[in-house]
Amino acid sequence: MSRGRNVHRNVAAGLGATVLALGLALGAATSSQAATDGTAAGENLPGVPAPGSPADAWEAWAAQERADAEATDWKADAAARGCTLEEVTISEEVDTDYNLAMGAPADLRTHRVDLLEKCADTAGASDTAARAATSDAATLSLPSGDRCATTSGPGTMCLTKSSGRIYASWQYRGSGSVTGFLRIYRVPTGVDGCPTGTTWLTGASATWSNGDTRTISKTRTTAGGYSAHMWKKVLVGHTDWGGACSSL
Protein backbone atom coordinates (compact mmCIF):
# COMPACT_ATOMS: atom_id res chain seq x y z
CA MET A 1 0.00 0.00 0.00
CA SER A 2 1.38 3.37 -1.00
CA ARG A 3 1.39 5.94 1.77
CA GLY A 4 3.07 9.27 2.45
CA ARG A 5 2.84 11.01 5.82
CA ASN A 6 3.54 14.49 7.15
CA VAL A 7 3.00 14.98 10.87
CA HIS A 8 0.82 18.02 11.55
CA ARG A 9 0.99 18.21 15.32
CA ASN A 10 2.05 16.30 18.40
CA VAL A 11 0.39 17.30 21.67
CA ALA A 12 1.23 16.01 25.16
CA ALA A 13 -1.34 15.77 27.93
CA GLY A 14 -1.13 14.83 31.60
CA LEU A 15 -1.15 11.30 33.01
CA GLY A 16 -4.10 9.73 34.80
CA ALA A 17 -6.74 7.09 34.32
CA THR A 18 -10.49 7.14 34.39
CA VAL A 19 -13.00 4.39 33.92
CA LEU A 20 -13.22 3.18 30.33
CA ALA A 21 -16.88 2.63 29.55
CA LEU A 22 -17.57 1.32 26.07
CA GLY A 23 -21.12 0.23 25.32
CA LEU A 24 -22.03 -3.18 24.03
CA ALA A 25 -25.02 -3.24 21.67
CA LEU A 26 -26.11 -6.47 20.06
CA GLY A 27 -28.18 -7.60 17.16
CA ALA A 28 -28.35 -5.18 14.23
CA ALA A 29 -26.74 -6.13 10.94
CA THR A 30 -25.48 -3.82 8.20
CA SER A 31 -28.90 -3.23 6.64
CA SER A 32 -30.30 -1.92 9.94
CA GLN A 33 -27.26 0.26 10.54
CA ALA A 34 -27.39 1.63 7.01
CA ALA A 35 -31.04 2.50 7.44
CA THR A 36 -30.16 4.43 10.61
CA ASP A 37 -27.55 6.39 8.65
CA GLY A 38 -29.97 7.04 5.80
CA THR A 39 -27.99 4.97 3.29
CA ALA A 40 -28.34 1.62 1.60
CA ALA A 41 -25.73 -1.04 2.29
CA GLY A 42 -22.50 -0.23 0.48
CA GLU A 43 -23.34 3.42 -0.21
CA ASN A 44 -21.23 6.27 1.12
CA LEU A 45 -22.64 8.05 4.16
CA PRO A 46 -24.26 11.49 3.84
CA GLY A 47 -21.66 14.21 3.41
CA VAL A 48 -19.19 11.91 1.65
CA PRO A 49 -18.92 12.36 -2.15
CA ALA A 50 -20.47 9.59 -4.23
CA PRO A 51 -18.07 7.04 -5.75
CA GLY A 52 -16.62 8.38 -8.97
CA SER A 53 -17.20 12.06 -8.08
CA PRO A 54 -14.79 14.60 -9.62
CA ALA A 55 -11.36 14.87 -8.01
CA ASP A 56 -11.99 18.44 -6.83
CA ALA A 57 -15.06 17.30 -4.86
CA TRP A 58 -12.97 14.67 -3.09
CA GLU A 59 -10.14 17.11 -2.41
CA ALA A 60 -12.53 19.64 -0.88
CA TRP A 61 -14.08 16.93 1.31
CA ALA A 62 -10.67 15.64 2.45
CA ALA A 63 -9.44 19.15 3.21
CA GLN A 64 -12.49 19.82 5.38
CA GLU A 65 -12.01 16.51 7.22
CA ARG A 66 -8.39 17.43 7.98
CA ALA A 67 -9.43 20.88 9.17
CA ASP A 68 -12.05 19.33 11.45
CA ALA A 69 -9.45 16.96 12.90
CA GLU A 70 -7.06 19.85 13.53
CA ALA A 71 -9.82 21.73 15.35
CA THR A 72 -10.89 18.76 17.50
CA ASP A 73 -10.24 18.86 21.25
CA TRP A 74 -8.58 15.44 21.43
CA LYS A 75 -8.15 15.65 25.18
CA ALA A 76 -11.93 15.91 25.54
CA ASP A 77 -12.35 13.19 22.89
CA ALA A 78 -10.22 10.81 24.95
CA ALA A 79 -12.08 11.73 28.14
CA ALA A 80 -15.41 10.91 26.46
CA ARG A 81 -14.06 7.41 25.87
CA GLY A 82 -12.94 7.16 29.50
CA CYS A 83 -9.23 7.83 28.93
CA THR A 84 -6.58 10.46 29.62
CA LEU A 85 -4.73 11.70 26.55
CA GLU A 86 -0.93 11.62 26.51
CA GLU A 87 -0.19 12.32 22.86
CA VAL A 88 -1.97 12.90 19.55
CA THR A 89 -0.48 12.87 16.05
CA ILE A 90 -2.43 13.90 12.96
CA SER A 91 -0.79 12.55 9.81
CA GLU A 92 -1.58 13.35 6.21
CA GLU A 93 -1.36 10.23 4.06
CA VAL A 94 -2.23 8.63 0.76
CA ASP A 95 -4.03 5.43 1.74
CA THR A 96 -5.16 3.62 -1.39
CA ASP A 97 -7.10 0.96 0.55
CA TYR A 98 -9.19 3.62 2.28
CA ASN A 99 -9.63 5.61 -0.92
CA LEU A 100 -10.75 2.68 -3.05
CA ALA A 101 -13.21 1.52 -0.38
CA MET A 102 -15.20 4.74 -0.79
CA GLY A 103 -14.70 5.17 -4.53
CA ALA A 104 -12.26 8.08 -4.28
CA PRO A 105 -9.20 8.66 -6.49
CA ALA A 106 -6.40 6.30 -5.42
CA ASP A 107 -4.00 9.20 -4.83
CA LEU A 108 -6.36 11.28 -2.64
CA ARG A 109 -4.55 12.72 0.40
CA THR A 110 -6.53 12.13 3.59
CA HIS A 111 -5.56 12.09 7.27
CA ARG A 112 -5.19 9.60 10.13
CA VAL A 113 -5.18 10.29 13.86
CA ASP A 114 -2.93 8.31 16.24
CA LEU A 115 -3.48 8.60 19.99
CA LEU A 116 -1.52 7.45 23.04
CA GLU A 117 -3.79 7.25 26.06
CA LYS A 118 -3.99 5.97 29.62
CA CYS A 119 -7.22 4.14 30.38
CA ALA A 120 -8.49 2.10 33.31
CA ASP A 121 -8.00 -1.64 32.95
CA THR A 122 -10.66 -2.98 30.58
CA ALA A 123 -12.18 -6.43 30.79
CA GLY A 124 -12.83 -7.48 27.21
CA ALA A 125 -16.09 -9.23 26.42
CA SER A 126 -16.05 -12.46 24.44
CA ASP A 127 -17.14 -12.17 20.82
CA THR A 128 -18.29 -15.79 20.94
CA ALA A 129 -20.58 -15.20 23.91
CA ALA A 130 -22.09 -12.06 22.42
CA ARG A 131 -22.72 -13.69 19.08
CA ALA A 132 -24.30 -16.73 20.72
CA ALA A 133 -26.84 -14.41 22.34
CA THR A 134 -27.97 -13.01 19.00
CA SER A 135 -27.40 -15.80 16.45
CA ASP A 136 -28.83 -19.19 15.72
CA ALA A 137 -27.36 -22.15 13.85
CA ALA A 138 -28.61 -20.85 10.50
CA THR A 139 -27.79 -17.13 10.87
CA LEU A 140 -24.55 -15.51 11.94
CA SER A 141 -24.21 -11.77 12.28
CA LEU A 142 -21.78 -9.35 13.89
CA PRO A 143 -22.86 -7.48 17.00
CA SER A 144 -23.43 -3.78 16.38
CA GLY A 145 -22.15 -0.73 18.20
CA ASP A 146 -19.08 -0.20 20.36
CA ARG A 147 -17.28 -3.46 21.01
CA CYS A 148 -14.38 -4.68 23.20
CA ALA A 149 -12.76 -8.13 23.18
CA THR A 150 -9.81 -9.74 24.96
CA THR A 151 -7.02 -10.57 22.52
CA SER A 152 -4.79 -13.65 22.43
CA GLY A 153 -1.92 -11.36 23.33
CA PRO A 154 -2.26 -9.83 26.84
CA GLY A 155 -4.58 -6.96 26.12
CA THR A 156 -7.99 -5.70 25.03
CA MET A 157 -9.10 -4.40 21.63
CA CYS A 158 -11.96 -1.91 21.38
CA LEU A 159 -13.66 -0.97 18.11
CA THR A 160 -15.93 2.08 18.33
CA LYS A 161 -17.50 4.90 16.34
CA SER A 162 -18.05 8.47 17.48
CA SER A 163 -18.46 11.90 15.90
CA GLY A 164 -18.23 10.51 12.38
CA ARG A 165 -15.06 8.52 13.00
CA ILE A 166 -14.06 4.88 13.59
CA TYR A 167 -11.59 4.11 16.38
CA ALA A 168 -9.51 0.99 17.02
CA SER A 169 -7.85 0.96 20.46
CA TRP A 170 -5.62 -1.70 21.95
CA GLN A 171 -4.64 -1.69 25.63
CA TYR A 172 -1.53 -3.71 26.56
CA ARG A 173 -1.53 -5.55 29.88
CA GLY A 174 1.64 -7.65 29.58
CA SER A 175 5.09 -7.25 31.09
CA GLY A 176 7.86 -5.25 29.45
CA SER A 177 7.03 -3.72 26.09
CA VAL A 178 5.70 -4.89 22.73
CA THR A 179 5.98 -3.44 19.22
CA GLY A 180 3.43 -3.78 16.43
CA PHE A 181 0.65 -1.97 14.58
CA LEU A 182 -3.15 -1.76 14.48
CA ARG A 183 -5.15 -2.50 11.35
CA ILE A 184 -8.88 -2.12 10.63
CA TYR A 185 -10.57 -4.32 8.01
CA ARG A 186 -13.93 -4.32 6.24
CA VAL A 187 -15.66 -7.67 6.82
CA PRO A 188 -19.09 -9.12 5.95
CA THR A 189 -21.64 -8.84 8.74
CA GLY A 190 -22.49 -12.55 8.45
CA VAL A 191 -19.13 -14.00 9.53
CA ASP A 192 -18.11 -16.46 12.21
CA GLY A 193 -15.57 -15.33 14.78
CA CYS A 194 -13.61 -12.15 14.13
CA PRO A 195 -11.61 -12.63 10.93
CA THR A 196 -9.49 -10.22 8.97
CA GLY A 197 -10.89 -9.00 5.65
CA THR A 198 -10.22 -6.21 3.17
CA THR A 199 -7.76 -3.69 4.64
CA TRP A 200 -9.44 -0.37 5.45
CA LEU A 201 -6.86 1.42 7.64
CA THR A 202 -3.35 0.65 8.88
CA GLY A 203 -1.71 2.49 11.76
CA ALA A 204 1.96 3.27 12.16
CA SER A 205 4.35 0.86 13.90
CA ALA A 206 4.45 1.71 17.61
CA THR A 207 5.63 0.38 20.97
CA TRP A 208 3.35 -0.29 23.95
CA SER A 209 4.43 -0.41 27.58
CA ASN A 210 2.27 -2.02 30.27
CA GLY A 211 -0.97 -0.04 30.63
CA ASP A 212 -0.61 1.90 27.37
CA THR A 213 -3.60 2.26 25.06
CA ARG A 214 -2.84 3.22 21.46
CA THR A 215 -5.66 4.26 19.16
CA ILE A 216 -5.96 4.84 15.42
CA SER A 217 -8.89 6.80 13.99
CA LYS A 218 -10.18 7.82 10.57
CA THR A 219 -13.36 9.29 9.12
CA ARG A 220 -16.13 6.68 8.74
CA THR A 221 -17.40 6.77 5.15
CA THR A 222 -19.64 3.67 4.86
CA ALA A 223 -21.74 1.59 7.24
CA GLY A 224 -21.03 -2.12 7.56
CA GLY A 225 -18.88 -4.75 9.23
CA TYR A 226 -15.43 -3.89 10.57
CA SER A 227 -12.72 -5.78 12.44
CA ALA A 228 -9.70 -4.31 14.25
CA HIS A 229 -6.60 -6.43 14.91
CA MET A 230 -3.28 -6.00 16.70
CA TRP A 231 -0.29 -7.26 14.69
CA LYS A 232 2.72 -7.93 16.94
CA LYS A 233 6.23 -7.66 15.51
CA VAL A 234 8.16 -10.95 15.66
CA LEU A 235 11.61 -11.96 14.43
CA VAL A 236 10.39 -12.16 10.84
CA GLY A 237 7.23 -10.18 10.05
CA HIS A 238 4.21 -9.88 12.34
CA THR A 239 1.74 -12.23 14.02
CA ASP A 240 -1.97 -11.56 14.61
CA TRP A 241 -2.70 -11.13 18.33
CA GLY A 242 -6.46 -10.97 17.75
CA GLY A 243 -9.05 -8.25 17.70
CA ALA A 244 -12.68 -7.14 17.92
CA CYS A 245 -15.46 -7.03 15.31
CA SER A 246 -18.66 -5.03 14.99
CA SER A 247 -21.21 -3.66 12.55
CA LEU A 248 -20.70 0.11 12.67
Side-chain angles (χ1 to χ4, degrees):
M1 172 170 62
S2 173
R3 174 178 291 128
R5 299 189 179 104
N6 296 307
V7 174
H8 282 253
R9 68 174 178 175
N10 197 352
V11 181
L15 294 174
T18 57
V19 176
L20 180 62
L22 288 172
L24 190 59
L26 303 176
T30 303
S31 57
S32 297
Q33 183 62 54
T36 300
D37 290 313
T39 63
E43 291 184 0
N44 286 348
L45 296 174
V48 181
S53 293
D56 58 353
W58 284 108
E59 290 163 3
W61 172 82
Q64 184 60 56
E65 293 300 303
R66 288 195 297 272
D68 291 345
E70 292 286 349
T72 295
D73 182 344
W74 292 102
K75 183 176 180 179
D77 179 86
R81 289 177 289 106
C83 300
T84 299
L85 179 68
E86 290 197 313
E87 185 177 281
V88 55
T89 303
I90 300 175
S91 303
E92 188 176 73
E93 63 181 1
V94 174
D95 188 330
T96 55
D97 292 318
Y98 178 79
N99 292 341
L100 294 175
M102 60 182 175
D107 61 353
L108 181 69
R109 299 189 70 83
T110 58
H111 76 280
R112 188 189 74 248
V113 177
D114 295 272
L115 306 169
L116 174 61
E117 303 165 307
K118 288 293 183 182
C119 308
D121 189 29
T122 57
S126 165
D127 266 338
T128 302
R131 290 163 62 83
T134 58
S135 303
D136 58 30
T139 303
L140 294 171
S141 62
L142 293 180
S144 64
D146 296 348
R147 179 75 183 146
C148 292
T150 300
T151 56
S152 57
T156 301
M157 179 70 76
C158 290
L159 180 61
T160 66
K161 68 171 182 176
S162 177
S163 301
R165 307 184 65 86
I166 289 180
Y167 298 78
S169 302
W170 188 67
Q171 183 186 63
Y172 177 53
R173 296 196 304 274
S175 59
S177 62
V178 62
T179 298
F181 64 89
L182 301 179
R183 178 170 286 167
I184 302 176
Y185 302 88
R186 292 299 310 273
V187 296
T189 56
V191 296
D192 190 16
C194 186
T196 58
T198 302
T199 297
W200 185 75
L201 174 63
T202 301
S205 179
T207 298
W208 284 254
S209 297
N210 177 268
D212 283 348
T213 297
R214 290 192 178 273
T215 298
I216 59 173
S217 173
K218 206 165 178 83
T219 302
R220 174 175 170 263
T221 58
T222 59
Y226 291 85
S227 72
H229 286 246
M230 161 61 180
W231 287 90
K232 177 187 177 293
K233 182 175 177 58
V234 292
L235 186 60
V236 179
H238 294 77
T239 186
D240 185 359
W241 261 13
C245 284
S246 183
S247 178
L248 298 173

